[in-house]
Amino acid sequence: VLAGDRAGADFSFAATGTSLALSDPGELFRLFNRAKAVTDASRDQGFFGEMMDCAARSRSIEPIINLAAARLGNSLVLLDPSFKILAASTIFPIDDPLWAENIRLGYCTYEFVSAVQNIDAVKNAARNSDPVVVTCWASPLRKLSSKIYIRGNYAGIVLMLEKETPISPLHLKLLPIISAA
């Protein structure tokens, strides 16, 4: 007990004037980085678990995509391999004219798909869920996309529209987790 023992003595850090770190001071930097990595990894697993719990409680994709959008701080669009729009988050307005129209239609037009497939970042994207930053002349927003695979088969894309918050390392880390979920 750090605040005291049964006799009422004070064993707080300030009262003892000692450090409880039992390592060489030269190792503290490495230990701190390792502790941070473990904490970050458990937080990511927690987010995956949170999304899976939401999926188990939901009868539709909307609560899951809105949970993910809230965590990212930006709108999300879920597309199947043929660029049919399966869902779009609703917690942030999607007022980009191109994406608002795609969502209204429920699919991306042939012309749109052809143009996207000619973007170097898309053409050269790895065949995994690593996020890719996509920009195009027809839309003022940068996008971050991550491919979705189910049992090794390509199943679609989760696309984040950069509007509310700029693309950050956290987005690059969380988008593949969303894809996996």
Side-chain angles (χ1 to χ4, degrees), residues 154-174:
Y154 174 63
I157 299 169
V158 63
L159 184 77
M160 182 188 84
L161 305 175
E162 179 190 54
K163 181 179 177 231
E164 310 300 326
T165 61
I167 294 172
S168 72
L170 179 65
H171 295 127
L172 297 172
K173 192 175 194 177
L174 291 181

Side-chain angles (χ1 to χ4, degrees), residues 8 21 40 45 53 66 78 80 91 109 112 119 123 152:
D40 289 346
Q45 290 172 357
D53 288 344
N66 279 327
L78 181 64
D80 76 2
I91 62 171
T109 65
F112 174 86
I119 296 173
K123 283 194 295 192

Side-chain angles (χ1 to χ4, degrees), residues 60-62 65 76-89 99 102-103 105-108 148 150 155-158:
S60 70
I61 192 71
E62 283 78 17
I65 200 163
L76 287 176
V77 180
L78 181 64
L79 302 112
D80 76 2
S82 65
F83 286 81
K84 177 181 176 194
I85 296 176
L86 302 174
S89 61
W99 281 100
N102 287 342
I103 291 165
L105 291 172
Y107 61 90
C108 300
I148 300 168
I150 299 174
I157 299 169
V158 63

Side-chain angles (χ1 to χ4, degrees), residues 27-42:
E27 291 290 308
L28 288 178
F29 183 74
R30 186 183 64 77
L31 291 171
F32 173 81
N33 284 339
R34 177 68 183 130
K36 183 177 180 330
V38 168
T39 301
D40 289 346
S42 69

Side-chain angles (χ1 to χ4, degrees), residues 140-155:
L141 304 177
R142 287 192 316 163
K143 276 72 68 189
L144 187 64
S145 71
S146 177
K147 294 176 185 170
I148 300 168
Y149 289 91
I150 299 174
R151 290 183 287 283
N153 297 313
Y154 174 63

